[in-house]
Amino acid sequence: MMAQNPSPMEEHIRPHGRVDDSGFDGKKIPLPGIFDKDPLLLMRNDFSQDSVNLLIHFHGEESVVAHAMAENEGWAAVAVNLGNGSSAYGEPLKAPERFDSLLQAARQHLQQPIRKLYLSGFSAGYGAIRSILKTSNYAIIDGVMLLDGLHASYIPAQTPISRGGRINHEDLSAFQKLAEDATSGTKAFVFTHSSIFPGTFVSTTESADFLLAATGTPRRPVLKEGPLGMQQLGESTQGKLKILAFAGNTAPDHIDHLHGLFHFIRLLEHRK
């Protein structure tokens, strides 16, 4: 994926709230021997349920994932950080055995059986999820959450739609299948996107439009406050597919989506 054109914009209207792990009371357990950098299993100390939802999150500060666990009872998470760019996440997960090892390592430390298994990715983290969805492990995934991260190439390369280019559908095929299954209720799929336009590759807004068109789900405009002062502009739902559009085309607007993890995770189970 080509580097995006940097935005010249600065924005000081929205608050861009940030979270940390200061409220997390639990364990942080490294899972060695799987990737070059060890993933971190995050478990609360106060589990009171006989099973747990497991979220495997790709890309983003571990403290943000820990905050999401602190704010949501009944969850555990694995935070995976492999570098920059979607290929840094996609290549290691092409072999299903790598994901199998990650899941097995998490199971060994969890005190409860896994009730539902979810994947989430911020920004470039979608690369790992795309690779996983293309393997036999698709069947065991209950749902996926993408936080301002789903891109594709243009055909011809670096040629936006406004200049006659088109989206490389193959780059989005795994997510199209997921979206179709979500509309029928067999999977959950939550996708949030900003208004950032990279220019050299397909934006998250264009990816959302592609999925909505493929599933026959109309855009529904709204205007309301999101987590940490985000400004929501759209909400499109069908079955267990939920695509949320937010204002903002600057770097802080992009990071907002990661820090909203604690809120967006609730949508996987259709909770507010």
Side-chain angles (χ1 to χ4, degrees), residues 15-206:
H16 303 299
R18 298 295 180 251
V19 303
D20 58 35
D21 60 356
S22 57
F24 177 69
D25 180 18
K27 302 179 181 67
K28 298 181 178 181
I29 303 172
L31 304 177
I34 304 171
F35 303 109
D36 291 338
K37 180 179 179 181
D38 293 344
L40 199 64
L41 175 64
L42 303 161
M43 301 167 50
R44 290 170 54 137
N45 287 328
D46 62 348
F47 277 131
S48 60
Q49 301 176 359
D50 58 3
S51 61
V52 62
N53 288 333
L54 179 64
L55 180 75
I56 300 181
H57 178 81
F58 297 93
H59 198 56
E61 294 95 330
E62 294 156 349
S63 61
V64 176
V65 184
H67 174 82
M69 297 301 98
E71 292 291 315
N72 292 278
E73 186 177 0
W75 288 80
V78 178
V80 184
N81 284 288
L82 303 178
N84 296 315
S86 61
S87 60
Y89 288 89
E91 288 298 324
L93 274 303
K94 283 184 176 179
E97 295 81 9
R98 189 71 65 89
F99 182 75
D100 293 341
S101 297
L102 179 62
L103 186 56
Q104 180 59 31
R107 289 185 191 275
Q108 289 176 352
H109 293 282
L110 290 171
Q111 300 168 359
Q112 295 85 6
I114 296 172
R115 180 167 64 251
K116 289 191 176 181
L117 175 62
Y118 296 105
L119 307 178
S120 66
F122 166 66
S123 193
Y126 79 92
I129 297 175
R130 179 168 59 192
S131 290
I132 294 167
L133 295 181
K134 288 183 175 182
T135 72
S136 58
N137 282 314
Y138 182 89
I140 66 172
I141 305 302
D142 292 289
V144 168
M145 178 169 58
L146 299 179
L147 304 176
D148 205 27
L150 179 55
H151 301 285
S153 301
Y154 289 121
I155 301 175
Q158 303 185 60
T159 306
I161 294 172
S162 62
R163 289 168 40 204
R166 59 186 176 86
I167 295 173
N168 184 345
H169 293 183
E170 178 57 31
D171 289 346
L172 298 178
S173 61
F175 295 101
Q176 179 178 345
K177 173 177 170 54
L178 176 68
E180 291 168 348
D181 286 345
T183 61
S184 67
T186 59
K187 303 282 186 183
F189 187 8
V190 175
F191 177 21
T192 75
H193 70 86
S194 68
S195 303
I196 295 171
F197 181 67
T200 58
F201 53 85
V202 173
S203 68
T204 52
T205 300
E206 291 169 320

Side-chain angles (χ1 to χ4, degrees), residues 2-24:
M2 299 294 296
Q4 71 183 66
N5 293 327
S7 172
M9 297 292 295
E10 293 186 8
E11 187 274 314
H12 305 286
I13 301 172
R14 288 174 289 277
H16 303 299
R18 298 295 180 251
V19 303
D20 58 35
D21 60 356
S22 57
F24 177 69

